[in-house]
Amino acid sequence: MKIKLSIAGLLLGAWLLPVAGNAADTPAKSAVPPSANETPGAQMTDNQRAKPAHRSVHPVDDSVITTKIRAKLVKDKQTRADNVEIETVNGAVDLTGTAGSKAKAARAVALARQVEGVKSVKNHIKITPPDTSAAGDKRSDKDRTAVKRRSDQPGSDTWITTKVKAKFVEDKQVTAANIHVKTLNGVVELTGTAKSMDESSKAASLARGVEHVKSVTNNIKVN
């Protein structure tokens, strides 16, 4: 009886060994579920942060598009007095700032769509009609101060901004996409980033060379 039981045990052990081997060869699945913050296929930088998807893959082309749109707005009688800001990322144009009426805002959108290379235009322009009622002014002191800081020559300031940006695009030393230009009554303010002090100084020098520029405030940060 003992001999029969031993033979049965040997046969059972020989059958179980391959099954155990196959189980050992199969990699165990992780018990920890993937994080909800993980982005499949995201490109990581050296500091292990995913690169923002909103950065342009062709910043020079986008700067050219922005410059051409601004030039159209300056030349157009309906839009030259408005304070429309333009941002272009991969051919997608975002219009912000202010306009005197819905018709003027729509006109700005139409002009932007005419520029070659524009894929889409988003209209985030706020409508701010001129306030002619001085007697019934219920605005706060802060709001009145903001109005005073508006340009007395919006058409000329927009023209100056366009010219400065055009000079940045043409110059090989300056990265036009990283430097922002704002003009108020002939005073140009430069912000954004530069790779070196030389690039920052060159940008300020180019801005000073534009006609009708009274002064240049250089607030460019050097990386």
Side-chain angles (χ1 to χ4, degrees):
M1 178 64 68
K2 290 182 179 179
I3 295 173
K4 290 181 179 180
L5 289 174
S6 298
I7 293 172
L10 289 171
L11 292 173
L12 181 60
W15 179 78
L16 289 174
L17 280 175
V19 176
N22 291 336
D25 294 337
T26 304
K29 293 183 178 180
S30 174
V32 181
S35 171
N37 294 328
E38 291 178 358
T39 303
Q43 187 178 1
M44 307 302 288
T45 59
D46 294 339
N47 59 0
Q48 296 301 309
R49 292 182 181 178
K51 291 183 178 179
H54 64 271
R55 289 183 180 175
S56 174
V57 296
H58 42 73
V60 175
D61 293 342
D62 286 337
S63 296
V64 172
I65 290 174
T66 298
T67 301
K68 288 183 177 180
I69 293 173
R70 190 172 297 282
K72 277 183 171 290
L73 298 183
V74 172
K75 292 178 181 179
D76 191 82
K77 294 181 180 180
Q78 295 184 42
T79 59
R80 65 176 54 172
D82 293 326
N83 185 24
V84 177
E85 297 294 332
I86 308 159
E87 183 179 4
T88 309
V89 178
N90 297 327
V93 177
D94 187 12
L95 300 181
T96 56
T98 58
S101 66
K102 290 183 178 180
K104 290 184 176 182
R107 176 65 176 171
V109 173
L111 291 172
R113 286 177 178 152
Q114 293 175 7
V115 173
E116 186 179 0
V118 172
K119 297 178 181 178
S120 63
V121 179
K122 291 183 180 179
N123 182 8
H124 293 137
I125 301 172
K126 294 182 180 180
I127 308 304
T128 55
D131 188 3
T132 57
S133 59
D137 192 355
K138 297 181 180 180
R139 294 172 297 176
S140 64
D141 293 338
K142 183 178 179 180
D143 291 336
R144 281 191 289 269
T145 302
V147 171
K148 290 180 181 179
R149 293 182 62 188
R150 289 179 184 173
S151 175
D152 296 328
Q153 48 177 35
S156 298
D157 285 341
T158 304
W159 181 89
I160 290 172
T161 298
T162 302
K163 287 293 184 181
V164 172
K165 287 187 175 182
K167 279 184 172 289
F168 290 170
V169 172
E170 294 171 358
D171 193 272
K172 294 181 179 180
Q173 187 178 347
V174 177
T175 305
N178 296 338
I179 300 177
H180 308 292
V181 185
K182 186 176 181 181
T183 309
L184 183 65
N185 295 324
V187 178
V188 176
E189 181 184 10
L190 302 179
T191 56
T193 59
K195 296 178 182 178
S196 64
M197 285 299 298
D198 289 340
E199 182 182 2
S200 175
S201 299
K202 184 62 180 295
S205 176
L206 290 172
R208 292 189 188 99
V210 173
E211 190 178 2
H212 303 306
V213 170
K214 297 177 182 177
S215 63
V216 176
T217 303
N218 188 356
N219 292 325
I220 300 173
K221 295 180 180 180
V222 178
N223 290 334

